[in-house]
Amino acid sequence: MTVKITPNDRGNPPGKLADAELHFSEGPLEGLKLIGFSVWERSRGGGGGRNVTFPARTYSVNGERRSFSLLRPISETRSQEQIRELVLQAYAEFEAQAAIAS
């Protein structure tokens, strides 16, 4: 599996740094990709740093917008943390390559 990073060059919405996709190269998901991940700059009040949001579907209940995650852990949330770290690592590598190129 590889992570493809697409930078958010428009700066809209504020704080969104990039979109990310997981590309599968082996196993039953070979040739498929999972889209909908985003890398965000955390607000200063939240301690700074970066966060990754997962693919989600929005829906409406009594006019109120809600969402649910499409990629959920079966039992332990550690599996989500591993994907989050993988995406953040790929973004850091993308930033480093972009700095070298410029």
Side-chain angles (χ1 to χ4, degrees), residues 10-74:
R10 291 175 268 142
N12 195 14
K16 183 176 179 183
L17 301 172
D19 290 309
E21 303 175 346
L22 302 182
H23 291 207
F24 300 97
S25 54
E26 294 181 25
L29 298 177
E30 181 177 358
L32 297 174
K33 63 182 173 180
L34 180 59
I35 64 171
F37 297 90
S38 296
V39 180
W40 296 83
E41 190 72 44
R42 285 190 182 151
S43 64
R44 299 261 185 244
R50 298 197 169 132
N51 186 38
V52 176
T53 55
F54 283 60
R57 166 92 56 188
T58 59
Y59 63 99
S60 184
V61 174
N62 297 327
E64 180 184 340
R65 288 188 75 190
R66 298 181 184 182
S67 67
F68 63 91
S69 180
L70 297 174
L71 185 63
R72 302 181 220 179
I74 294 170

